[in-house]
Amino acid sequence: MKKSQKILIGVGAGVIVLAAVAVIAGPTIYRDLIAAPAADAPSLASDEADGGSGNTDDAVAELDPRLLVGDWNVAEDSEAGYRVDEVLNGTDVTVTGRTDDVTGSFTIGGTGLTLEAADLTVDVATIATDNSNRDQYFRSEALRTDEFPEATFVLSEPVTLDGAPALGDVVQTEATGELTIAGETQTVTAEIEVRSDGETAEIAGSIPITFSDFGVEAPNLGFVSVEDSGAVEFQLTAVPAQR
């Protein structure tokens, strides 16, 4: 088996340990009453008021994009992880893993409307779900974190906004880059939301993934299987590197 073919096995491994519980209780009861609820999908729009900027004034201040020019670093209150569906006897159970061990940098150039570079690193050994058995298999057998302790995303194409957003407004865009997991690299496109007040920046988004595109075969044990598609998710805070 190729190394990359083992990556997804860990996502569903904990279900083997919990299978007896699911069978006895029933998949729906297991999903609704026993398993921890999945984390919310990353989003900035949900906490906006007044349809965009959160400002009730008729005249909404425009963000001066020149404040954004320069290097930015990922700060505390950032997290990344994954989302995937496990199917127990026909019932979907959504699993999310998260870690706050995320580092990286962004470079904004030009007039402040172009993201020229982005380089993000996630310590995959610290990604945790609601089940320690799943996590242990994910780390030791699936991703082999002793050999590949990190996953990375590197921007490959500049991202340019059409114009300056309103102060604190959420802007939706896409970012194309190289995603590397367990030594395998694929070109991906992230759907992202961005918001800034000039002092900090918030970035939320996800990268849809078909695991077979990474040479990964989703495990199927008959009564339990893992969907072939899922998502890498992130919600980040960034601050200027020097100011």
Side-chain angles (χ1 to χ4, degrees):
M1 179 182 294
K2 291 173 58 179
K3 291 181 178 179
S4 61
Q5 290 177 326
K6 300 174 68 176
I7 183 175
L8 186 59
I9 297 174
V11 176
V15 177
I16 298 173
V17 178
L18 299 175
V21 177
V23 170
I24 293 172
T28 302
I29 294 175
Y30 173 79
R31 179 194 64 194
D32 295 340
L33 300 179
I34 299 176
D40 292 338
S43 178
L44 302 178
S46 61
D47 61 3
E48 283 193 298
D50 311 307
S53 66
N55 192 327
T56 57
D57 295 337
D58 291 335
V60 179
E62 186 176 274
L63 174 65
D64 183 351
R66 293 172 297 180
L67 295 173
L68 306 179
V69 175
D71 295 328
W72 294 66
N73 291 331
V74 173
E76 295 180 357
D77 302 324
S78 298
E79 66 175 15
Y82 67 83
R83 178 182 303 269
V84 71
D85 279 342
E86 297 172 341
V87 183
L88 297 176
N89 291 331
T91 299
D92 286 345
V93 179
T94 300
V95 174
T96 51
R98 293 289 186 265
T99 179
D100 60 5
D101 199 338
V102 185
T103 58
S105 62
F106 305 92
T107 299
I108 298 176
T111 61
L113 297 176
T114 299
L115 176 64
E116 296 181 342
D119 192 334
L120 303 173
T121 299
V122 179
D123 182 349
V124 294
T126 61
I127 294 177
T129 68
D130 63 317
N131 182 266
S132 60
N133 292 301
R134 179 194 291 115
D135 297 339
Q136 179 59 34
Y137 196 95
F138 178 84
R139 296 164 186 166
S140 62
E141 299 295 331
L143 294 187
R144 303 176 313 284
T145 56
D146 56 341
E147 185 177 1
F148 302 108
E150 298 174 340
T152 63
F153 174 84
V154 179
L155 188 72
S156 58
E157 300 177 11
V159 179
T160 301
L161 302 182
D162 293 333
L167 190 65
D169 202 8
V170 171
V171 176
Q172 295 181 333
T173 188
E174 295 182 345
T176 299
E178 301 298 313
L179 177 66
T180 300
I181 302 174
E184 294 288 324
T185 300
Q186 294 287 336
T187 299
V188 298
T189 298
E191 302 286 339
I192 60 175
E193 298 175 344
V194 182
R195 176 173 57 199
S196 179
D197 59 4
E199 296 295 327
T200 62
E202 299 168 90
I203 307 100
S206 65
I207 303 171
I209 290 178
T210 299
F211 294 107
S212 58
D213 290 344
F214 284 78
V216 175
E217 182 178 353
N220 188 334
L221 304 180
F223 62 89
V224 56
S225 63
V226 176
E227 297 287 1
D228 187 41
S229 60
V232 172
E233 299 182 327
F234 51 90
Q235 187 140 355
L236 310 175
T237 301
V239 295
Q242 293 180 346
R243 180 165 298 179

